[in-house]
Amino acid sequence: MNKNSRSENTSLGIVGFGAFGQLASLHLGQHFEISAYDPSPNVAEIAKQFGVRLAPLHSVSQADVILIAAPVSSFEQVVSEIAVACKPGALIVDVGSVKVVPSEIMQRVLPDNVDIVASHPLFGPQSAATGIEGLKIAVCPIQGGRHARVAAFLRKVLGLTVIMTTPEDHDREAAVVQGLTHLIAKVLLRMGPLPTRMTTKSFDLLSEAISMVQHDAPEVFEAIEKANPYAETVRRRFFGLAASLNVELDTTFGTRPRNKTGR
């Protein structure tokens, strides 16, 4: 990874050219020769605008560095196809919202002669709209020793705040941090339209948080809530505490249960 200019000898293959694949190409284009694969027929024009060459998965999988931005639902199939085509010494990095399941798949399916780093950029296109400097990214060493070089590149060249962790520790914290954020956003959006005139600063911040996640692809919410092995426990605890608080309020203020007619 050349930190000064694009290296003709360092190729980057992005597998999955959705919202995050496009964001990655925007910030990595000056450092790598990029090709990308995406099964959607709708990304050709976008790829052209980014100066990214679209290619078959087999071809993209032969890059020096492979960035996997595929949904969890198709992750194992994608990794299996990469495993057949990738070259010895390749560096393979994923950028998914959950880490335990993808890390296990990559370590099990990919060959022993490649380096594997699981990562999770703790931002997306909305939160990175004004730049990525100072934003956080989790990095999990999985196989090989190049995670230190990856972390140095992310920190020194891209200006990111790097958090070294394990897939298990990542998912435990993400179950609260992301799980609750997306869950609360979903509930509040269903209560909409929300007030916009007579609001407090705290409500404005809450609305801002909602706006950052409300346009995420459905696969993101599914991964955060279903693919994270710790999400269900956090979700059940949250709703349990909310129900308990509701009972306390009913008891404190003497609220009588309504009958079926609402009286």
Side-chain angles (χ1 to χ4, degrees):
M1 290 175 286
N2 188 332
K3 68 180 181 179
N4 297 315
S5 62
R6 177 184 291 187
S7 171
E8 294 181 358
N9 296 321
T10 305
S11 56
L12 170 67
I14 300 178
V15 180
F17 203 63
F20 196 86
Q22 294 164 29
L23 180 65
S25 71
L26 176 66
H27 292 281
L28 296 174
Q30 61 181 307
H31 306 288
F32 300 91
E33 293 290 343
I34 299 179
S35 63
Y37 164 78
D38 195 293
S40 172
N42 302 320
V43 300
E45 187 59 35
I46 299 174
K48 185 177 179 181
Q49 293 172 10
F50 279 91
V52 171
R53 177 178 62 87
L54 291 181
L57 179 55
H58 185 275
S59 174
V60 171
S61 299
Q62 294 176 340
D64 300 314
V65 182
I66 303 169
L67 190 72
I68 307 177
V72 174
S73 57
S74 60
F75 193 82
E76 184 160 3
Q77 177 60 37
V78 167
V79 173
S80 297
E81 295 187 44
I82 291 172
V84 175
C86 64
K87 59 187 181 183
L91 170 62
I92 300 176
V93 183
D94 91 298
V95 292
S97 299
V98 293
K99 295 274 70 80
V100 169
V101 173
S103 297
E104 186 278 326
I105 291 172
M106 288 191 291
Q107 194 166 29
R108 171 168 49 85
V109 176
L110 292 170
D112 295 334
N113 57 12
V114 301
D115 283 51
I116 305 171
V117 175
S119 77
H120 178 202
L122 298 166
F123 55 87
Q126 285 75 35
S127 52
T130 58
I132 63 173
E133 187 173 355
L135 297 180
K136 299 177 182 179
I137 183 168
V139 173
C140 307
I142 304 299
Q143 180 174 293
R146 277 190 283 175
H147 57 274
R149 289 179 62 190
V150 171
F153 175 82
L154 295 170
R155 184 170 51 249
K156 296 177 181 179
V157 179
L158 299 185
L160 295 172
T161 299
V162 178
I163 302 169
M164 301 300 296
T165 185
T166 65
E168 292 76 14
D169 286 346
H170 169 277
D171 281 6
R172 285 192 187 95
E173 293 193 47
V176 177
V177 174
Q178 281 196 302
L180 290 186
T181 301
H182 283 72
L183 198 64
I184 293 169
K186 285 284 187 183
V187 172
L188 289 178
L189 285 170
R190 292 184 181 185
M191 293 178 66
L194 299 174
T196 57
R197 183 171 64 93
M198 192 167 55
T199 62
T200 61
K201 180 62 176 177
S202 57
F203 187 84
D204 289 339
L205 290 172
L206 188 60
S207 297
E208 184 181 353
I210 293 172
S211 70
M212 287 184 180
V213 301
Q214 71 179 105
H215 299 299
D216 284 350
E219 309 90 71
V220 175
F221 181 74
E222 182 177 350
I224 289 169
E225 297 296 343
K226 294 183 179 180
N228 187 323
Y230 306 101
E232 182 179 0
T233 299
V234 171
R235 184 170 65 249
R236 290 186 181 280
R237 183 166 184 257
F238 174 78
F239 283 126
L241 291 171
S244 177
L245 181 58
N246 187 49
V247 171
E248 289 179 25
L249 290 170
D250 284 348
T251 303
T252 301
F253 295 103
T255 303
R256 294 178 302 171
R258 296 184 177 186
N259 59 28
K260 291 183 179 179
T261 63
R263 298 176 180 176

